[in-house]
Amino acid sequence: MIKRPRVMGIVNVTPDSFSDGGRLSTLEAAVAHGLRLVEQGADILDIGGESTRPGAEPVSEGDELARVLPVIEALRRQWDGPISIDTLKPAVARTAVKAGATMWNDVTALTGAPDSAAVAVELGCEVVLMHMQGEPRTMQVEPRYDDVVAEVRDRLVERAEVAIAAGVARERIWLDPGIGFGKTLDHNLALTRHLDVLANAGFPVLFGASRKRMIQAVDPSANDPLDRLGGSLALALEAARRGAGIIRVHDVRETVQALAVQAAISGP
């Protein structure tokens, strides 16, 4: 039987995210979008104020906080569910958790700053450790692996062990293979196909491939990220089948429905 994973709805308050950058440019629009995702079945909301798309430039701590804090505070006043802060900056994570966030989603797997692991211990919240080869500005410049599945697993387990040694509770750690972060299409397909290898490493897995360029690589007509729903659902269903515990998506209603039908088919 497949138990439906939790669905994490994406709320990007950035001007340059690959799919929806600039669409939620006001506090009202961002909060309304988040609440709409909850109505559609989102179990978690992931708030991000700095784009990590390929080639993205970093933003200042002040700019990032100005984008995410009002949204987190407003959502927390109207919803008591889990809120994730998508940031590589420990100071942003600390302030976001103080404002009501309950999870830190870190694309650098706590390597973004010297005090990242210490801040994760201090916060005591759930932490997502994501794999990325290089950095957003350079990660898609000829990424190479000898065995992408084994290397991603080993690197994430290593980062988890570092976090545990620093004092992060083991049960609060999630691993994310980082689909599209320093990977070719073949790398992304292999990581999805063998996601159970990561899921069997001893930590729960978050999977995020919603609207990503790997879908366009399979279907060249899907140049617009909004035309990648079918591919996103296929990836979400396969990730669920392979053991993902959280699926991070833009299209919450459709994903929740697809996962529910998949679980129903698998039977009681």
Side-chain angles (χ1 to χ4, degrees):
M1 174 183 177
I2 296 176
K3 179 182 178 183
R4 180 178 81 75
R6 287 190 288 167
V7 172
M8 173 184 277
I10 299 169
V11 182
N12 280 327
V13 286
T14 57
D16 57 346
S17 288
F18 80 94
S19 175
D20 49 6
R23 192 167 65 85
L24 307 178
S25 58
T26 67
L27 172 61
E28 293 75 15
V31 173
H33 180 67
L35 295 176
R36 188 178 309 113
L37 295 184
V38 171
E39 291 176 358
Q40 293 176 353
D43 304 290
I44 309 166
L45 294 178
D46 191 43
I47 317 300
E50 178 177 15
S51 175
T52 51
R53 63 178 173 77
E57 294 292 331
V59 302
S60 71
E61 180 181 308
D63 285 346
E64 189 175 352
L65 283 170
R67 293 172 182 174
V68 300
L69 274 187
V71 177
I72 294 172
E73 291 168 346
L75 285 170
R76 182 50 73 216
R77 286 193 294 268
Q78 301 179 66
W79 186 56
D80 61 1
I83 294 176
S84 167
I85 176 63
D86 183 356
T87 184
L88 54 81
K89 299 182 181 71
V92 172
R94 179 188 287 118
T95 307
V97 169
K98 185 176 180 180
T102 56
M103 174 182 278
W104 179 7
N105 185 7
D106 183 5
V107 299
T108 74
L110 300 180
T111 66
D115 62 339
S116 291
V119 171
V121 175
E122 169 197 327
L123 298 179
C125 63
E126 291 185 280
V127 180
V128 180
L129 307 178
M130 196 200 78
H131 182 278
M132 174 171 56
Q133 189 178 87
E135 60 179 7
R137 282 177 294 181
T138 62
M139 63 187 179
Q140 288 305 108
V141 180
E142 297 187 12
R144 297 179 183 274
Y145 302 86
D146 292 324
D147 182 337
V148 67
V149 174
E151 290 175 44
V152 168
R153 176 200 60 199
D154 292 350
R155 173 60 173 168
L156 287 176
V157 170
E158 173 193 333
R159 292 307 306 158
E161 290 173 348
V162 168
I164 292 168
V168 177
R170 182 184 186 92
E171 62 271 17
R172 295 189 179 277
I173 295 174
W174 289 77
L175 305 183
D176 178 348
I179 298 297
F181 284 78
K183 283 99 177 171
T184 65
L185 171 62
D186 287 343
H187 296 147
N188 292 324
L189 292 173
L191 286 167
T192 304
R193 188 182 303 122
H194 299 291
L195 193 67
D196 52 313
V197 172
L198 185 58
N200 291 331
F203 300 89
V205 170
L206 182 151
F207 182 87
S210 179
R211 299 183 183 175
K212 289 193 174 177
R213 291 183 185 178
M214 68 175 291
I215 300 168
Q216 181 189 3
V218 175
D219 173 14
S221 71
N223 183 58
D224 187 334
L226 294 177
D227 290 334
R228 301 172 189 170
L229 175 59
S232 299
L233 293 175
L235 289 162
L237 291 171
E238 184 63 13
R241 194 169 75 87
R242 299 287 182 179
I246 295 176
I247 309 290
R248 181 179 181 273
V249 301
H250 298 84
D251 302 291
V252 167
R253 181 182 182 277
E254 294 85 350
T255 305
V256 168
Q257 183 183 87
L259 292 170
V261 171
Q262 181 188 52
I265 292 170
S266 71

